[in-house]
Amino acid sequence: MTLSVAVLMDPIGSIKIAKDTTFALLLEAQRRGHSLFYMEQGDLAARSGEPWARLAPLSVREDASGWYTLGEPQWRDLREMDVVLMRKDPPVDAQFIYDTMVAELAERAGVTVVNRPQALRDCNEKLFAMHFPQCMAPTLVTRDAADLRAFVATHGEVVLKPLDGMGGRGIFRVKAGDSNLNSMLETLIAAGPHGEHKHFTMAQKFIPEISSGDKRILVVDGEPVPYALARIPQGSDFRGNLAAGGRGVGVPLSDRDRWIVSQVAPELRRRGLLFVGLDVIGDYLTEINVTSPTCARELDAQFGLNIAGQLFDVVEQNRTGNRAA
């Protein structure tokens, strides 16, 4: 089976191929003989209800001195593609939401979109985890500074974060009595001069096991990759995110990790979320990453896996089923 695979991503010239999961997906698709097409966020349009995209033919190679070649971009009906990989990094802002709406026009015509556009809109990476409270540490999401201060006082040590961040940006660790708490809350809630435009803020009880790593568990069509990447904080920084300087160490999934996946997987399948990254610290689920989950390259390298291959097995099976139907 030869498929036409389009990818929506951040500028390909700026990626780090040794760590970029989107690049792994492109390499695997090309290895299987699929045709690749590239677009960025400004390359989508809707014309009288039809999804269009300015698509450039793409080839990729495992070469840090020059890892891609782009052909001449042309406007094409996005419904001509078999598969669209939605791999634009957060934030999930209004422009990203509009992208999903254009992609959904293609999906309704039979294009396989990974992950499903509606799920990308509905599943905020912080809030979606709240669907599984049995898996989480005590958590509060609110715009109310007094509620957040009370939460910190109750739990003693708390992590505060915005709902639209990634890579550890905008995250604070605070203890009860910290004189900087009000300043942190002002930064996160960002109220206007008259109290308008307040932003939701998430507070989670601090989990000391972060010292052993913030584990990224990749889930393909509801099935977990058997190893997680434990992103271990370095120096005095409490954040394990690789983008914040954390060190990635592969570890086998624990029984608790597998239990968490079992709790979440049926809902992932129901929503058409084929490729997801669960963040787990200690015994607790903290986030569910659906927009552009990463860490496949590191796990592939450490354990001889082919996670992109697992995903494309599913995609190809789905396409075969669609054609048979």
Side-chain angles (χ1 to χ4, degrees):
M1 176 190 298
T2 300
L3 302 176
S4 296
V5 178
V7 61
L8 173 67
M9 61 184 291
D10 293 296
I12 192 169
S14 301
I15 66 174
K16 298 177 180 178
I17 65 170
K19 297 184 176 182
D20 196 277
T21 295
T22 302
F23 188 69
L25 296 173
L26 295 173
L27 283 172
E28 179 64 18
Q30 181 174 273
R31 187 187 68 79
R32 293 177 178 228
H34 302 322
S35 302
L36 299 180
F37 297 89
Y38 170 85
M39 56 179 162
E40 296 178 19
Q41 196 165 31
D43 295 323
L44 283 171
R47 301 178 180 177
S48 300
E50 298 177 346
W52 282 72
R54 186 166 45 208
L55 297 171
L58 171 66
S59 62
V60 290
R61 53 196 170 274
E62 192 80 81
D63 182 352
S65 65
W67 54 90
Y68 70 99
T69 300
L70 288 175
E72 188 67 26
Q74 293 184 341
W75 282 102
R76 294 180 60 174
D77 189 329
L78 195 56
R79 296 172 296 185
E80 297 174 5
M81 298 292 107
D82 296 300
V83 179
V84 174
L85 301 175
M86 298 290 285
R87 294 288 302 177
K88 172 72 178 66
D89 283 344
V92 178
D93 55 13
Q95 298 306 312
F96 183 92
I97 296 297
Y98 302 148
D99 291 338
T100 68
M101 292 177 178
V102 176
E104 193 166 42
L105 294 173
E107 182 189 49
R108 289 179 178 178
V111 179
T112 298
V113 183
V114 183
N115 284 312
R116 287 198 65 194
Q118 181 177 344
L120 292 175
R121 293 195 296 271
D122 291 349
C123 300
N124 174 273
E125 303 194 328
K126 309 293 192 298
L127 280 177
F128 187 33
M130 302 283 277
H131 288 247
F132 311 97
Q134 72 275 25
C135 302
M136 299 187 72
T139 302
L140 170 68
V141 178
T142 182
R143 295 184 176 96
D144 190 280
D147 282 352
L148 290 164
R149 284 193 291 268
F151 187 89
V152 175
T154 297
H155 294 287
E157 190 167 8
V158 167
V159 172
L160 303 169
K161 50 188 165 182
L163 295 185
D164 61 353
M166 65 166 287
R169 292 194 295 268
I171 296 179
F172 299 94
R173 175 181 172 185
V174 61
K175 294 182 178 180
D178 192 320
S179 60
N180 291 310
L181 177 58
N182 285 339
S183 178
M184 294 175 190
L185 295 179
E186 288 170 6
T187 299
L188 288 164
I189 296 173
H194 304 293
E196 73 277 20
H197 307 310
K198 291 183 178 179
H199 296 166
F200 269 125
T201 295
M202 173 175 275
Q204 290 181 321
K205 181 179 179 180
F206 178 71
I207 305 168
E209 289 84 355
I210 183 63
S211 61
S212 299
D214 179 355
K215 288 184 286 189
R216 167 62 54 82
I217 302 171
L218 293 175
V219 183
V220 180
D221 194 25
E223 295 295 327
V225 173
Y227 301 92
L229 193 74
R231 297 160 297 173
I232 301 172
Q234 299 297 292
S236 60
D237 199 326
F238 74 96
R239 298 170 300 171
N241 310 75
L242 299 182
R247 178 172 60 91
V249 177
V251 295
L253 297 191
S254 68
D255 289 343
R256 174 70 178 187
D257 295 335
R258 292 183 181 277
W259 178 82
I260 290 172
V261 174
S262 75
Q263 299 298 295
V264 176
E267 186 66 9
L268 300 181
R269 289 195 184 99
R270 188 184 75 81
R271 292 176 181 262
L273 288 163
L274 294 183
F275 190 48
V276 171
L278 307 184
D279 287 351
V280 173
I281 301 174
D283 288 337
Y284 300 106
L285 175 69
T286 60
E287 295 184 15
I288 302 176
N289 297 270
V290 302
T291 51
S292 58
T294 60
C295 298
R297 293 284 267 173
E298 293 89 341
L299 289 170
D300 283 353
Q302 291 188 38
F303 298 105
L305 305 176
N306 182 7
I307 296 167
Q310 292 177 242
L311 179 60
F312 268 96
D313 284 346
V314 173
V315 169
E316 290 175 356
Q317 289 165 10
N318 287 350
R319 296 303 303 176
T320 300
N322 288 346
R323 289 178 179 179

